[in-house]
Amino acid sequence: MAKDPGRVLIFDTTLRDGEQSPGASLNLDEKLAIAQQLSRLGVDIIEAGFPFASPGDFDAVQRIATAVGSTDGPIICGLARATKGDIKACAEAVAPAAHKRIHTFLATSDIHLEHKLRKSRAEVLQIVPEMVAYARSLVEDVEFSCEDAGRSEPEFMYEVIEAAINAGASTINIPDTVGYSTPAEFGGLIAGINQHVPNINQAVISVHGHNDLGLAVANFLEAVKHGARQLECTINGIGERAGNASLEELVMALHVRRSYFNPFLGREAANPEPLTAIRTEEIYKTSRLVSNLTGMAVQPNKAIVGANAFAHESGIHQDGVLKNRLTYEIIDARTIGLSDNRISLGKLSGRSAVRARLEELGYTLSGEDLDDAFARFKELADRKREITDRDLEAIVSDHTQQLQAHYQLLGVQVSCGTNLQPTATVTLRTIDGKQRSVASIGTGPVDAVCGALNQLVQVPNELVEFSVKSVTEGIDAMGEVTIRLRQNGRLYSGHAADTDVVVAAAQAFVNALNRLVSSLQSQPLHPQQTPLPVL
Ligand SMILES: [Zn+2]
């Protein structure tokens, strides 16, 4: 990709780094749905996974490369450590895409060299160009990351970067892996690279960073000021620990303050071209999709996409907003795809209306999937007067979560009340078609349901989170239940929505159990040598 100072590339790593968030693992169909939406959003590069890690990761990257990597689509990228095995697997996985990239990395800090890699600086200076050149022999577009850049000695890192570029890397990524930098330091790091690496004009400088001190977005914006032109970020800022830099915050900061960030213009310039190619009207939809499929809720006061970001509670504000939106709003809600004129569907809405609305929400369904969604819509419309976008999203994400599912919830029946021992009867069907029912008592209806499900599934687990919230307004609202289970130190989340919260709880529990079981079944390809990368 040609280097253009007036363009900031958006590299989305929701499906790689974001999916490493505890409990956020996604199945293949969910990954595909997100990749398709990222393509509609207009991201430049999708980092689709780490192909060498497991057969599941390899398949996901390959399917995304096939389905989303068309000629006018984004670059599909895979992550690979600086070894031949990793790079080869990565090249095979991204091969079907029209535009493909291998992203390889090696640590440049002494602490990593000594304790993790047990390699000398001279060895690193030999391995990096060798592996970059090998990757370049397989694909045109190679990105190299200096792992632990923040703690690396600058002079040595400059040498490594120069060698990587000479060997054919066209993007150099600088990660703040542990989220320790401040904006001034991070900007200085980028400025130093620009100043001291002689061939840096042949590569795009990229940044990656984590939000441990809440500074990831601020660090990236300062990096842009100093010449970084690729930002590695995730939808809703999901990712390891406190998460990655959030795509929507970066894009909207660059959009709203585009005069300030445009390298060619002063502050006064009226309305210059945006720096990113993101279709901002797709932002809200994308945020909802990722939140629904990962089960990672967005906090209400989150910038840009939180439920309160555009809500004006106070009377004074409302008055001001009504008179002129610009009094208290720096962004028109429609810019991110939120509109006031909400179209709601009801009992009489036909299949084509439902399908059209789903498409506008980013879900393209056909055949059996559409039949299934429409049947669930009809069923819900019998119980609920007005079906909103949020209801439709809940219907579809429930359906996607159940594809390739090991267990399917066929029925749940509960009796409870005062002076009555809560009892639940649950029926499940396993993937091989067998049906089983079990009854269980509990301290409450949800406890009874979970008890029955645990008896049926027989996989030890610990319930660490159970939360209920209402999806829409009104007494007939859908209740959304999010559940997190822990097993062997790993978290598995499940979520579901229904007008009956006990049914939603049962379905959410089954969804989480399905994730747990499928993760137990998919063993990593090379368990000893494949720790998750820590970029
Ligand atoms: Zn990371």
Side-chain angles (χ1 to χ4, degrees):
M1 189 167 278
K3 199 175 163 177
D4 174 1
R7 212 21 231 295
V8 173
L9 302 172
I10 299 296
F11 176 113
D12 182 279
T13 184
T14 304
L15 296 172
R16 202 278 298 166
D17 207 323
E19 208 226 354
Q20 284 174 222
S21 316
S25 59
L26 297 161
N27 70 31
L28 190 54
D29 290 284
E30 292 165 338
K31 286 183 184 178
L32 262 179
I34 290 174
Q36 258 141 3
Q37 180 55 30
L38 289 172
S39 170
R40 281 188 284 264
L41 177 66
V43 306
D44 299 282
I45 302 109
I46 294 177
E47 185 163 58
F50 178 35
F52 193 75
S54 73
D57 269 62
F58 183 94
D59 283 351
V61 176
Q62 200 173 44
R63 283 275 301 277
I64 291 168
T66 310
V68 187
S70 59
T71 8
D72 56 349
I75 296 171
I76 306 299
C77 172
L79 185 67
R81 289 168 305 172
T83 66
K84 282 201 162 179
D86 268 49
I87 292 171
K88 189 161 177 284
C90 186
E92 282 167 22
V94 297
H99 311 287
K100 39 194 165 265
R101 174 181 293 185
I102 293 175
H103 176 192
T104 185
F105 66 99
L106 195 65
T108 47
S109 69
D110 287 335
I111 185 161
H112 274 237
L113 296 197
E114 261 170 52
H115 299 288
K116 201 177 85 175
L117 300 173
R118 292 178 217 290
K119 287 191 168 41
S120 68
R121 286 185 173 191
E123 283 172 288
V124 169
L125 271 172
Q126 192 196 334
I127 296 167
V128 169
E130 209 176 285
M131 288 304 121
V132 169
Y134 177 61
R136 264 306 295 271
S137 73
L138 304 169
V139 299
E140 287 278 295
D141 182 348
V142 174
E143 169 169 338
F144 174 74
S145 281
C146 303
E147 188 188 351
D148 206 22
R151 286 189 293 185
S152 303
E153 190 200 74
E155 282 66 33
F156 174 62
M157 191 174 67
Y158 300 153
E159 267 185 82
V160 175
I161 294 174
E162 187 184 354
I165 297 174
N166 277 336
S170 48
T171 304
I172 295 295
N173 181 47
I174 306 300
D176 176 23
T177 305
V178 291
Y180 182 74
S181 278
T182 66
E185 287 166 351
F186 202 57
L189 186 65
I190 303 304
I193 291 167
N194 253 328
Q195 219 165 45
H196 295 106
V197 177
N199 54 0
I200 195 67
N201 60 347
Q202 294 166 38
V204 170
I205 300 181
S206 166
V207 287
H208 181 105
H210 284 261
N211 208 25
D212 299 71
L213 293 174
L215 292 172
V217 168
N219 284 341
F220 279 30
L221 293 174
E222 199 55 23
V224 168
K225 270 292 189 194
H226 288 89
R229 283 297 176 267
Q230 177 180 288
L231 308 178
E232 301 199 358
C233 45
T234 62
I235 301 298
N236 301 334
I238 64 170
E240 296 254 38
R241 307 185 309 278
N244 283 74
S246 128
L247 181 146
E248 58 279 2
E249 291 176 23
L250 288 166
V251 166
M252 289 315 291
L254 292 174
H255 183 85
V256 172
R257 303 300 309 276
R258 53 191 185 273
S259 304
Y260 177 74
F261 286 104
N262 194 304
F264 307 120
L265 301 157
R267 274 161 190 265
E268 303 77 20
N271 202 18
E273 287 284 295
L275 283 160
T276 75
I278 295 295
R279 288 185 274 278
T280 59
E281 330 72 72
E282 297 287 329
I283 285 179
Y284 185 69
K285 221 184 273 181
T286 317
S287 163
R288 293 284 317 152
L289 180 72
V290 169
S291 167
N292 272 327
L293 296 183
T294 56
M296 302 275 290
V298 172
Q299 84 210 47
N301 59 326
K302 163 93 171 55
I304 316 297
V305 292
N308 295 351
F310 292 95
H312 297 272
E313 284 288 344
S314 127
I316 305 168
H317 280 212
Q318 276 183 5
D319 189 47
V321 170
L322 290 177
K323 281 182 183 135
N324 181 352
R325 284 195 170 269
L326 291 176
T327 359
Y328 287 101
E329 282 183 3
I330 57 163
I331 303 169
D332 181 336
R334 285 169 297 190
T335 317
I336 63 153
L338 268 171
S339 62
D340 302 336
N341 47 355
R342 200 176 61 159
I343 308 159
S344 60
L345 300 168
K347 232 180 146 112
L348 300 172
S349 308
R351 200 181 139 96
S352 58
V354 171
R355 178 211 186 110
R357 191 68 204 136
L358 281 171
E359 260 168 34
E360 280 173 45
L361 292 172
Y363 299 92
T364 313
L365 301 186
S366 58
E368 262 177 56
D369 291 340
L370 182 63
D371 292 343
D372 192 84
F374 188 62
R376 293 206 55 190
F377 166 82
K378 278 295 194 194
E379 191 193 314
L380 182 63
D382 280 337
R383 285 180 287 155
K384 194 168 180 297
R385 199 168 44 84
E386 199 181 58
I387 311 286
T388 64
D389 290 351
R390 304 286 291 268
D391 293 328
L392 283 179
E393 284 172 348
I395 288 175
V396 185
S397 71
D398 267 12
H399 175 71
T400 329
Q401 284 192 59
Q402 283 158 49
L403 295 170
Q404 317 157 345
H406 200 84
Y407 297 103
Q408 210 185 345
L409 182 67
L410 291 186
V412 51
Q413 201 175 12
V414 175
S415 65
C416 59
T418 36
N419 303 321
L420 195 68
Q421 174 86 282
T423 312
T425 310
V426 171
T427 309
L428 282 186
R429 181 164 55 209
T430 48
I431 204 159
D432 51 15
K434 287 194 190 113
Q435 267 186 41
R436 276 188 64 209
S437 296
V438 149
S440 171
I441 52 169
T443 52
V446 172
D447 185 49
V449 166
C450 296
L453 284 168
N454 275 328
Q455 277 185 48
L456 284 169
V457 173
Q458 298 276 338
V459 180
N461 66 75
E462 184 194 347
L463 180 68
V464 290
E465 189 191 321
F466 178 87
S467 72
V468 185
K469 72 177 190 197
S470 137
V471 178
T472 40
E473 289 156 20
I475 194 77
D476 61 354
M478 296 261 266
E480 190 175 66
V481 174
T482 303
I483 274 176
R484 277 176 203 276
L485 302 178
R486 183 159 49 210
Q487 206 239 11
N488 257 337
R490 282 199 65 182
L491 287 171
Y492 303 89
S493 66
H495 93 143
D498 198 281
T499 49
D500 182 328
V501 279
V502 177
V503 174
Q507 188 60 63
F509 202 88
V510 172
N511 290 345
L513 285 170
N514 275 324
R515 286 200 170 154
L516 199 169
V517 171
S518 78
S519 126
L520 292 180
Q521 286 171 344
S522 70
Q523 292 302 319
L525 271 180
H526 318 273
Q528 269 78 47
Q529 36 167 321
T530 322
L532 280 174
V534 286
L535 269 189

